[in-house]
């Protein structure tokens, strides 16, 4: 699968619409957020996955820039 997909670690912030979840919580979990960006080299499609958010609330796939 290495020849088809690129997997990268990116740092992100969590929002619901325009509302930043970081304004509600001040623990280190919320400071910077580790997200995995998976890019399909054949068509350029990107999927963003947030393993920590999935562990806490069950949301795994997120949107990215």
């Amino acid at each position: 699968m290495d020849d088809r997909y690129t997997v990268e670690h990116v740092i992100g912030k969590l929002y619901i619409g325009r509302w930043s979840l970081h304004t509600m919580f001040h623990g280190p979990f919320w400071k910077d957020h580790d997200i995995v960006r998976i890019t399909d080299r054949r068509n350029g499609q990107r999927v963003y996955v947030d393993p920590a958010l999935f562990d806490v609330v069950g949301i795994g796939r997120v949107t990215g820039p």
Side-chain angles (χ1 to χ4, degrees), residues 2-3 6-7 9-10 13 16 20 22-23 30 33 39 43 45 51-53 55 57 61 63 65:
D2 285 346
D3 58 334
T6 301
V7 178
H9 167 257
V10 295
K13 301 262 184 214
I16 296 176
S20 171
H22 303 273
T23 61
W30 299 102
H33 221 66
T39 305
N43 59 21
Q45 183 178 1
L53 191 60
D55 286 347
V57 293
R61 188 177 271 192
T63 58

Side-chain angles (χ1 to χ4, degrees), residues 20-55:
S20 171
L21 289 177
H22 303 273
T23 61
M24 295 262 326
F25 305 99
H26 301 288
F29 177 81
W30 299 102
K31 183 178 178 196
D32 288 321
H33 221 66
D34 296 320
I35 298 172
V36 179
R37 178 173 52 208
I38 304 166
T39 305
D40 187 331
R41 291 182 186 166
R42 292 183 186 172
N43 59 21
Q45 183 178 1
R46 290 183 172 168
V47 174
Y48 296 86
V49 180
D50 187 330
L53 191 60
F54 180 77
D55 286 347

